[in-house]
Amino acid sequence: MSHIPHRSHWNNRWTFMLATAGSAIGLGNIWKLPYMIGVNGGSAFVIIFLLCIFLVGIPLMMTEILLGRRAQKNPLDGMNVLALEAKTSTHWKWLGGMGMVTGLLILGFYSVIGGWVLRYIGASASGAFSNITAMQSTENFNQLLASPFSLLFWHTVFMMMTMGVVARGVNSGLEKANNILIPALFSILLVLLGYSMSVGDMQAAYQFMFSLDFSKLTPTVVLSALGHAFFSLSLGMGSVMVYGSYLQKNVSIARTTIYIALADTMLGLLVGLAIYSLVFANQLEPSAGPGLIFQTLPIAFGHMPWGNLIATLFFMLVAFAAWTSAISLVEPAIAWIVENTRIRRKTAAFFLGLIIWLLGVAVVLSFNEWKEVKIVFGLNIFESLDKLTSTILLPLGGLFMAIFAGYFMKKDHVQDELNLAGYKFKLWQMTNNYIAPIAITAVFLYLLGVIK
Ligand code: PFF
């Protein structure tokens, strides 16, 4: 029998909620959601996105938490235990294994982007955006991407911050960090919103994000809303499962899941409003993707009162969001090492951190020296990792988790864990067993180009 140390648990329901919200709220909410709303028809997209959160995101998050809490183990051994309990093939453990690897692959590039954010905290604090022109701003961003040394430095700092927290363990590391960072993140959000309301153009932002335009509603929009609902709630790779494995038995999974999903969604929408109200107040283009917060937003801040201070706070908010998500990406693998070997958590964190750091070095080079090195689908290293994980591995993980809980586990066991009866349980069953698998399969086929 392998060495099994005492298993930690969250101190209370609140800290579990903060930690899981910390995992969900990340780079995905802050630049991706606002931009997707903008290009996908405003409120039409918002309505579909909310439907996806409720019909697929929430039931699947409940599923992941219930799997983790029942197993009381890391995702790989946890799936093994659950498969034995369900008297089915223990090959299900590879689902947990796949999730752990997915997390490490995501962190390989997430950490590099986290590094950009740290760099931008420094730049805003030193007043680098004051009166900046559009050309200077683009130039700044391109210069950062072209400099392997700079990228590597900030990637290293971000990795050290992440592994430093993970090394301290569930209570003194994960729990403490989330207890501080998530309330801080929401406090900064309030300041940012107040600022945007007083100096930004909230009305234009509101119209841009929420004006009804169903003409832009296409199958692509529906499917991208679903894909993003999924990524945004951190589903499909075992982060939520391992957090659920540290959750006490007496906590209601359904209620906490709803709070977490609401916090994640509200934060994305509010940050979007704040960003766009500043963008429109400065007559800037609501441009797409990474450019929005790293190129467009600095121009807005550079021309507004207290711009440097607010920009510093804004990038701190982004950094806190990225940091708490990064922690959750590595925890499943750390839990597996600690629960299976005599290696101490600190040592495990160091060596795993080193491996992810090396992967990050390849990602750093893919922005400059290795730009032309193609891996899969004609994409470079960064793009390949992003595409492989968020569009293939995460949906696949989520799909199989739903199938396992819905069709392989004993109904009594699921019911016991969810502690739901009557129509509430039926609702979970219908969404987990039918709606979620069908929706994910559709997204999956679409992303693979089978559905156009
Ligand atoms: N939910 C995070 C975001 O929106 O940025 C990304 C993420 C974190 C995805 C953890 C998956 C995960 F396991």
Side-chain angles (χ1 to χ4, degrees):
M1 189 66 203
S2 61
H3 161 79
I4 300 188
H6 156 77
R7 230 171 171 278
S8 312
H9 282 88
W10 305 111
N11 258 321
N12 53 51
R13 177 169 86 110
W14 176 239
T15 50
F16 165 74
M17 257 166 38
L18 284 182
T20 313
S23 168
I25 294 167
L27 295 167
N29 302 63
I30 299 180
W31 60 259
K32 205 164 174 202
L33 181 68
Y35 139 71
M36 288 178 93
I37 292 172
V39 295
N40 286 314
S43 71
F45 179 86
V46 174
I47 293 168
I48 303 295
F49 178 70
L50 291 177
L51 270 178
C52 294
I53 292 277
F54 280 95
L55 290 179
V56 179
I58 290 181
L60 265 190
M61 187 177 254
M62 285 170 62
T63 304
E64 237 189 280
I65 300 175
L66 92 82
L67 293 177
R69 188 168 71 178
R70 181 137 198 109
Q72 289 291 305
K73 283 195 185 320
N74 64 80
L76 189 140
D77 295 318
M79 285 311 295
N80 196 40
V81 167
L82 296 174
L84 288 174
E85 189 184 56
K87 298 195 172 50
T88 180
S89 163
T90 51
H91 282 312
W92 278 103
K93 69 176 176 224
W94 300 118
L95 176 57
M98 180 179 89
M100 285 166 16
V101 175
T102 307
L104 306 184
L105 295 178
I106 297 181
L107 191 51
F109 69 85
Y110 210 83
S111 162
V112 175
I113 317 266
W116 300 357
V117 179
L118 296 181
R119 170 75 189 87
Y120 269 71
I121 298 179
S124 4
S126 65
F129 301 153
S130 292
N131 292 318
I132 196 172
T133 64
M135 234 163 68
Q136 283 166 332
S137 187
T138 308
E139 178 75 357
N140 280 350
F141 187 55
N142 290 342
Q143 245 172 22
L144 173 65
L145 296 193
S147 158
F149 177 76
S150 212
L151 290 179
L152 203 59
F153 175 77
W154 292 107
H155 157 59
T156 309
V157 175
F158 190 85
M159 275 311 293
M160 280 166 49
M161 284 163 54
T162 304
M163 301 321 286
V165 171
V166 175
R168 285 167 208 263
V170 176
N171 300 110
S172 339
L174 277 62
E175 188 161 275
K176 218 179 213 162
N178 279 292
N179 277 353
I180 299 170
L181 294 175
I182 300 301
L185 186 153
F186 275 95
S187 315
I188 298 179
L189 176 68
L190 286 182
V191 174
L192 190 69
L193 276 175
Y195 179 77
S196 311
M197 274 192 235
S198 59
V199 299
D201 189 345
M202 263 297 172
Q203 204 175 351
Y206 186 84
Q207 254 186 2
F208 180 62
M209 284 176 53
F210 299 108
S211 67
L212 263 188
D213 185 359
F214 281 106
S215 67
K216 291 197 186 131
L217 196 60
T218 61
T220 319
V221 170
V222 177
L223 294 175
S224 57
L226 179 61
H228 189 64
F230 205 82
F231 182 80
S232 184
L233 290 178
S234 301
L235 300 173
M237 59 138 283
S239 282
V240 173
M241 188 171 163
V242 81
Y243 278 14
S245 78
Y246 303 134
L247 181 65
Q248 299 90 335
K249 194 85 182 150
N250 59 357
V251 174
S252 155
I253 292 181
R255 192 169 335 133
T256 25
T257 300
I258 290 171
Y259 291 148
I260 294 164
L262 283 181
D264 183 59
T265 312
M266 288 299 291
L267 183 120
L269 296 177
L270 292 176
V271 168
L273 272 179
I275 291 177
Y276 281 118
S277 76
L278 299 182
V279 166
F280 288 125
N282 288 274
Q283 287 89 38
L284 294 167
E285 271 304 304
S287 69
L292 182 65
I293 66 168
F294 295 108
Q295 292 175 45
T296 315
L297 210 52
I299 312 170
F301 285 130
H303 292 87
M304 305 188 87
W306 302 90
N308 292 326
L309 175 68
I310 301 293
T312 312
L313 286 174
F314 172 78
F315 284 107
M316 279 170 68
L317 180 153
V318 187
F320 291 173
W323 192 6
T324 49
S325 295
I327 294 166
S328 77
L329 284 164
V330 77
E331 179 60 21
I334 291 280
W336 178 74
I337 297 176
V338 177
E339 286 167 19
N340 279 284
T341 67
R342 287 186 178 274
I343 300 174
R344 287 181 28 220
R345 189 177 253 273
K346 283 194 172 56
T347 318
F350 179 79
F351 284 105
L352 213 53
L354 205 60
I355 294 170
I356 302 165
W357 180 81
L358 280 172
L359 184 63
V361 174
V363 173
V364 160
L365 293 173
S366 75
F367 286 104
N368 33 70
E369 311 295 328
W370 292 356
K371 210 173 192 162
E372 297 310 320
V373 179
K374 308 287 186 220
I375 304 289
V376 282
F377 316 118
L379 301 170
N380 70 25
I381 299 170
F382 165 68
E383 294 160 341
S384 301
L385 278 177
D386 181 16
K387 179 122 180 163
L388 180 73
T389 52
S390 48
T391 62
I392 299 178
L393 295 175
L394 291 184
L396 204 61
L399 175 64
F400 281 112
M401 283 181 198
I403 292 176
F404 181 81
Y407 299 95
F408 288 85
M409 277 179 84
K410 298 222 166 8
K411 197 178 134 206
D412 298 351
H413 293 167
V414 175
Q415 221 162 0
D416 172 46
E417 214 51 60
L418 287 180
N419 199 12
L420 294 177
Y423 82 95
K424 287 185 182 161
F425 182 70
K426 286 234 152 50
L427 202 60
W428 172 82
Q429 232 180 357
M430 198 178 73
T431 43
N432 179 84
N433 297 11
Y434 303 105
I435 298 177
I438 292 171
I440 297 168
T441 308
V443 169
F444 204 48
L445 295 177
Y446 164 75
L447 292 169
L448 290 176
V450 181
I451 304 178
K452 288 237 185 298

